Each structure stands twice: as structure tokens, then as C-alpha cells.
Amino acid sequence: GAQQSATVANPVSGASPDLLPHFQLEPEDVYIVKNKAVSLACRATPATQIYFKCNGEWVHQGDHVTQQSTDRGTGLPVMEVHIEVTRQQVEKIFGLEEYWCQCVAWSSSGTTKSRKAFVRIAYLRKNFEQEPSAREVSIEQGIVLPCRPPEGIPPAEVEWLRNEELVDPALDANVYVTPEHSLVLRQARLADTANYTCVAKNIVARRRSASAAITVYVNGGWSTWTQWSGCSTSCGRGWQKRSRTCTNPTPLNGGAFCEGQNVQKTACTTLCPVDGAWSEWSKWSVCGAECTHWRSRECSEPAPRNGGRDCRGPELDTRNCTSELCSHAAPGAEDVALYVGLVAVAVCLVLLLLVGVLVYCRKKGGLDADVADSSILTAGFQPVSIKPSKADNPSLLTIQPDLSTTTMTYQGSLCPRQDGPAKLQLPNGHLLSPLGAGRHTLHHSSPAAEGADFVARLSTQSYFRSLPRGTTNMAYGTFNFLGGRLMIPNTGISLLIPPDAIPRGKIYEVYLTLHKQEEVRLPLAGCQTLLSPIVSCGPPGVLLTRPAILAMGHCVEASAENWSIRLKKQSCEGTWEDVLQLGAEPCTELYYCQLEAQACYVFTEQLGRFALVGESLSMAASKRLKLVLFAPAACPSLEYNIRVYCLSDTQDVLKEVIQLEKQLGGQLIGAPRVLHFKDSYHNLRLSIHDMPSSLWKSKLLASYQEIPFYHIWSGLQPFLHCTFTLERLSPSTCELACKIWVWQVEGDGQSFTVNFNIAKDTRFSDWLVPDSEVGAPALVGPSAFKIPFLIRQKIISSLDPPGTRGADWRTLAQKLNLDSHLGFFASKPSPTAMILNLWEAQHFPNGNLSQLAAAVAEVGKQDGALFAVSEAEC
């Protein structure tokens, strides 16, 4: 009701005339919540009347609710009065002053006033004046999380939640709340990693702040160094190393990894053992009384040291002798010895005569004496197509052969090919001498049995125990002076045998093999790493008059300031030797290497087993890794695996991974990427992100997977992989979208955006090379070369001699960007042949003969009389 002035009635008769009223109950401060009215009450004795006055105005008498009673103890009258105050009444004077009410009680002796009771409208605003914020702190560091609650009446009370559980400072001495409501953690512990929420509440509402994620991290610390390892070599200069691990403590919750190197390397020198060797024998002593004399020697040239072996054999040598002191010798003994010697000489002469007759008969037998190393050659040959040029290649330099001359037929062996027999017509002439009549009668055998027979015979040789027992990574063929080419399909590995590299009249059966690293032990020391596949070509020991060219891929980002790259060759005893250091003067003319961006071409006059090994000179040295993603082509269950391969960036390793995935039923789900992996001792990390949580979930417990640095850097494991196991929440889910990150800590990184249908998406299948497109693994004779034989001979004879105005092989090398190898070319009898051989190795089978023809023509312009080849022939 409205507040009005009240007319006070006369006091009730019978009240005690001598007592003033006193209050047994006075009105209390109250809060109006929302629109709910509040009640004020007061009680006094002795009282004849009680009225409320609010903000100086009497409350209307009709708004009072009065109750009267008698105090049983004193017999005095007791009066109790109630009124209600609404939100509207309070809001009428809002902003002018606070709303208050008090009681006034009457008796016959006078009046008494109660205390003032304030009536306020309760509220709590929504927004915090200050909220706690997320932080990352080191372990044992103090944390202060501020919180200023929203404005409200009555003022809000504050409490804290840790992962939705109430924080009670009474139960945890490490925690307390300040008067300003801030939460203080005296020393951060790993258990304090959580989400913290400030909660403000009063009689009106309860408000929550935004949660603040507190991460307590642990920075890594190094363990103590291990002892130095033994020297990597048992003789001479080598390396030794020691290591430590970042486990004291191990970094946690994103804490910093230990700074510095986890491996230290230092050079070491081991004294080489020296085996003892005998000195020369002394002179014979005088013949003794017992018809003997003696001589001696010493193990002193040199004496054994540093653990070397002692000399083998006797130190003292004695034998019978004859002198005047040996008169008891049997008569005629000297005559018997003479007769025995004559008989032995006669027997030796007879044996030598028989050997000579056998050798003469074998030479008359024809081909058999000219086959190299017959213990490892096959007796069977399959005729193959050997065509000097192709009609559909108009860009070849061509000199038309004289068809009027007599011709002869050469039939060679190409073991792996299956095409029908064909013949190569070669004209007689001074550029290509015909083969002698009757010298090339070749025997035939079953092609099916030929490959198995060849491998079986190779396996009997001790040097070839590690050759694969199949032909997947192997090619072989039979070659003569015309040369040819061996290729292992889809690996980038080939062997070019140039014309005239095999002496005329000789036939070699040559093989080319790619080894798996687990089959051949290649010792690496210090900072060395394998940069190429391990490849064998042979048989070793055959005579080559010109270098063959072995082509293979590599994965090095080569630079002289970051790398020392060496070509290693395995000896017949099984030890690996450095035969060439790239960029340095070659110590022998038997080997040379042309290193390009992704392949190397090794010139070698001795066949054997080769590998390219690098030693990093700085932490900036890097290798190329190829990153490839595979997943199952069919997914019958809810689980789905994504396999991320990290492999050396060479074709042979990619081929091996593709073959493995075909066996596993995998499919490529992203275009391969290249990552540059540095010698920084940092590991490789892999993680998966942005996967729709409503459709998929990852079973990976950690935030990332990791491949140790040395597993990758050594190169002895050509490919490694990590698997991300995912789970579909519904069998009907077929669309997968996510991102996969692969990066080296503090280095290069790559990301894959995966977005495909696991049931029917095959868009990346074109990246996989079909088995039907592998091509012929062996080519014999002119079909193995882009440049026609007669044109090749013409170029060689024209450019080998020094030309006027420099129009010779040097200019051709410059135009083909091979001028950095002039010294090597000049050391060979025919520099032009070396240049053309390297061009053949680089550009087969897709080389552009037109560009070579243009380069040759440019050289010819400098000397008009250089070529007698017309434009039509070019």
C-alpha cells in the first residue's frame, strides 16, 4: 500500500503508566529477490500501539498486521506488527537514498523507536570484472590466478573449481585464496595441471568465469655423459663418441628440450698392428762332424709390434752335407741322386708337352677359349632384337649404310627378354670390322632354365654369397664388343657398357644387382651416412678396355662446405675401401663420378660392389626424405590405419615400399612430399590434427609420434614408418578429412591435407608404376644406345683431334655442361667417347637427340670442314 501519515489513537487503558515500551523484536535488513515482496516485523512490551515509518513517512494503518498478547511472566501487554515492502515501493526512491523502515511503539509513559532496517533490491551482474587466464609455468614456480567477481548486492561470495571439483584450502596447504579472491598456488606441481574456474554467487545468481588452463611443464635436463666408445677403426684414424640423454628430467607437458648436442664425437688414432717378417737367411755354416750344416734368420724385418703376428716358419734350417769328415757315407749315393734328378726332369718335360697339345686343341675349338670366367657363365643364349636405329625416330643423326656391301648376321643373348629372334644387319667397312667367320656360333638353351641356372652358378662363388636368389632386383645379359645396357626396372639403376669396352673376340656375361641393406654389411664410422643403394655389377676381375658407367640414385643435398662424399667399393675379401673422394683429385684413373641433383654416374674400369657414402661437415648438411601416405584399400572394420613412410629419396626404396604395400593391400592417399632432414641430432615428429570428432577418433595416446634421429640419418634402414590408428564411430562413415604433420624438430616440415572417401577414392593410383611398364632389363648392341653407331664413330673421329679455333671435344663438353670434367675426359684415349657415353647414361631412353645434334652442329660451325654430314642427314 501507499505510504501515508497515520493519526495515532489514544493509548489503550490499563497499560502500566510507569513503563516505556521496549522492543523484543526489531526489523532486520532484507533484500528483495526479483519481484518477491519482503516482510518486516517488530514486537514491543508494554505497548499500546506500534506503527512503521519508512523513509520518514508513516505507513498506512491498513498495511499493518497487528497481533496482541500478554507476557505471562510480567502480565504486561505485548504487541507485534508486520508490514510488507514491494519492489515497486523501493524503486520509487531508487537513486535518491536507501529505503529504510523503523518501528515506533507507544505506552502511557511515552514512545520508543526501533533501529532502522534497510530494504535493498538484490542483483548479480553477468560479467566478471577480471577473469583468470591460461598460463604455462615451470614446476615449483608460484602461480597467482586473479578473479574479481561481478558487481552485486549483496556482494558475491567466491569459490574456485579445479577440473570441476571444489578447491578447499583447508585440505591443501599449497593453496590459499586472498581477500581479493585470487587463487594462489605456492609451488606448482605436476598435479596442478588442470582447468581452473572462478565461481561467484549470492542470493540472486551463480556466475562462472571462463576456465583457465594451467599447464605445469618440466624443462628437460641432460643426464651425465656416457664413457667414450671404442675407436671406430682398429687401425689408423677413426672416430669415437659418447652420448647423453635428455632424461634428467625428461621434458613434460611441452617443456623445453635440452639445448646442445646429445652426442659428442672426436677423432682417435689406433696404432696399426705390424706383422713380423723374416730377415734374409744367414750363410750356411761349415759342415759339421755329423754331416750337417745350418743357417738362421731373425723375425726383425720388421719385428712384430702393436699386437701383430709373429713370423711363421722355422728360425733355424739344417741339412745334410758332405765333406772329408763324412767318410762313412755309403758309396754311390751321389750317383743315385743324379739319376733320380734326371728322371724327374724327363717327367716334367713330358707333362709340359701334353699341356701344350691340350691348349692348342682348345684354341682350335673356337669360342670356348674366349669366354671370360666360364665357371660363372651360362651355356645358353636366346637370340634377341638388336636394331641399329628406329625408323620412328627422325631426330637421329644418320649416315646411310652402303647396302651394296656384303653383310653378316650377329645373334646375341638377352636372357630376360621374351621377344622372338631377330637379326641385326651390320655392313662390312672400316668403321665396324666384321666378326670372323665361324667365331660366333652361339649355343641355345631353354630361356626358362637360364635365369635359375645363372643364379645357381653365381651362388657357388664365394664372392657372391649375398646375391639375391631371384631376379626382381637383378638384370643380366651376354655382351661382346658392341656393348649394351643393363637396367633394374623402376629403380633408376643401370649399367652402360660402351662399344669396344669389351675386347673384340671376347664375350662376357654381365650382371647388375640391387642389394637390400640387411643383406650387405656396410660399416659406417663417425658422421658417415649411406646416400645411395648398394649395387653390384660383375663379374669382378673381367678386362674392360674402356670405363663402364654405373648409374644410381642418391638422396644428398650436395654442397662442398657441408659434405665429404666418397665412393666405396668392396674388395673380394669383403672389406670396403674408399676408391674416390668427390671434388678431390682422383687417386687413380680407374674411377670417376659425375654427381647430379638426384643421380650419380660412376665411371669404372673394374666391376664390383659400390655405394656412395657421405660424411657431414656441419649441422647444415641435409638428406632428402620422401614422405608417402598409405592406407587400406578396403576397410571392413571400424579401425582404419594410416601409414606414413619416411624413406630415402631414391627410386629403388620407393619401389620396395610400393611392393610391400601391394602385399598389404594398401593404397596411396596423398601425393608424396620431400623433406630435407638435417644433421642436427633432432628427431622426426609426426602428428595428426583437425579430424572431425563426431565421426572419427584417434587411438594415439600422445600428441605426436617420434622417429629417433640416428635411425634415419645412418641410411642403413632405407625406410621407416609410423601408423596412426583411427576408429570410425559409425560403420557408415566413409569420408575422412584430417591433416598430418611431419617435421624435424627445429627443422624442415611438411603437411598433408587428407580428404577422401575410404571406400572408393583411387585418385592417387597413377603415382604407382604398373608392373607391366618396367621395360626390358637388358639391351644388347646398338639397340641399347640412342646415338647410331656410325654417327657416333664419325663424331669421335672428328672431335678427338685438337681442332682449329677450339672446335673439338672440349667445346662439345662445354655445350653439354660437362666442362667441369675436362681433366677426366682428357686422361682417356678418346675424350669424345667418354662424353657421348655419359650422355647416353644420362638420357636413355627419353633423351632428346635433337639437342645433341644441335650441340654437335654448333661445334661444327666453328670449323666448316669438321663434318661431311648434310642437314638432311641430321
Side-chain angles (χ1 to χ4, degrees), residues 219-227 242-251 257-259 261-263:
N219 291 326
W222 288 116
S223 65
T224 57
W225 288 102
T226 62
Q227 297 295 323
R242 63 177 183 173
S243 62
R244 56 182 179 175
T245 57
C246 189
T247 55
N248 188 30
T250 303
F257 197 80
C258 304
E259 294 184 359
Q261 298 182 351
N262 63 340
V263 176

Side-chain angles (χ1 to χ4, degrees), residues 512-585:
L512 179 65
T513 302
L514 166 65
H515 296 277
K516 294 184 178 180
Q517 274 81 348
E518 61 267 21
E519 298 171 349
V520 179
R521 183 178 179 273
L522 175 62
L524 298 176
C527 304
Q528 290 182 341
T529 175
L530 184 62
L531 302 175
S532 74
I534 301 176
V535 179
S536 291
C537 54
V542 299
L543 174 65
L544 295 179
T545 57
R546 296 186 180 182
I549 301 180
L550 175 64
M552 55 186 177
H554 67 78
C555 60
V556 63
E557 289 294 301
S559 61
E561 63 273 14
N562 295 332
W563 285 100
S564 172
I565 302 176
R566 301 172 187 270
L567 178 68
K568 284 184 175 286
K569 180 176 183 288
Q570 190 176 26
S571 66
C572 292
E573 291 78 19
T575 59
W576 286 88
E577 302 169 348
D578 294 340
V579 295
L580 180 66
Q581 180 175 356
L582 275 65
E585 287 294 326

Side-chain angles (χ1 to χ4, degrees), residues 230-291:
C231 200
S232 61
T233 59
S234 59
C235 174
R237 182 178 175 84
W239 296 90
Q240 59 182 163
K241 65 180 181 179
R242 63 177 183 173
S243 62
R244 56 182 179 175
T245 57
C246 189
T247 55
N248 188 30
T250 303
L252 293 174
N253 296 337
F257 197 80
C258 304
E259 294 184 359
Q261 298 182 351
N262 63 340
V263 176
Q264 282 186 345
K265 301 176 184 176
T266 184
C268 57
T269 303
T270 305
L271 294 177
C272 297
V274 178
D275 296 337
W278 291 111
S279 63
E280 295 291 332
W281 286 102
S282 65
K283 294 183 178 180
W284 288 102
S285 67
V286 178
C287 192
E290 297 182 359
C291 298

Side-chain angles (χ1 to χ4, degrees), residues 72 85 93 106 159 181 473 530 544 569 586 683 687 732 758 818 821-822:
R72 294 180 181 181
V85 180
I93 63 168
W106 279 267
E159 61 185 18
H181 310 299
N473 291 325
L530 184 62
L544 295 179
K569 180 176 183 288
N683 298 339
S687 61
S732 61
I758 66 175
L818 300 176
H821 311 298
L822 295 180

Side-chain angles (χ1 to χ4, degrees), residues 55-195:
N55 285 82
E57 296 183 3
W58 294 103
V59 178
H60 192 276
Q61 185 177 0
D63 294 332
H64 291 73
V65 177
T66 304
Q67 293 179 353
Q68 292 183 350
S69 62
T70 302
D71 190 333
R72 294 180 181 181
T74 61
L76 297 175
V78 177
M79 182 175 291
E80 184 174 344
V81 177
H82 295 264
I83 65 169
E84 285 192 351
V85 180
T86 64
R87 184 184 186 99
Q88 289 79 6
Q89 290 175 275
V90 177
E91 287 178 343
K92 282 184 179 181
I93 63 168
F94 181 76
L96 301 177
E97 58 179 325
E98 287 193 288
Y99 192 94
W100 57 268
C101 294
Q102 70 178 163
C103 286
V104 181
W106 279 267
S107 72
S108 58
S109 300
T111 61
T112 303
K113 295 181 180 179
S114 71
R115 64 179 293 274
K116 288 184 179 180
F118 291 90
V119 181
R120 300 181 178 92
I121 298 176
Y123 66 92
L124 183 63
R125 301 196 185 279
K126 292 184 178 180
N127 296 325
F128 281 74
E129 295 183 7
Q130 184 178 9
E131 293 185 293
S133 57
R135 294 182 58 186
E136 294 181 355
V137 296
S138 176
I139 194 168
E140 297 184 354
Q141 180 181 341
I143 307 175
V144 178
L145 294 176
C147 176
R148 292 171 59 191
E151 178 187 353
I153 294 179
E157 297 177 358
V158 173
E159 61 185 18
W160 285 88
L161 301 180
R162 176 196 289 145
N163 288 343
E164 302 303 321
E165 294 184 0
L166 183 64
V167 177
D168 189 353
L171 301 178
D172 189 350
N174 192 47
V175 178
Y176 70 94
V177 178
T178 67
E180 293 79 21
H181 310 299
S182 297
L183 180 67
V184 178
L185 304 179
R186 290 183 173 88
Q187 286 187 327
R189 302 159 298 188
L190 287 177
D192 293 327
T193 298
N195 292 322

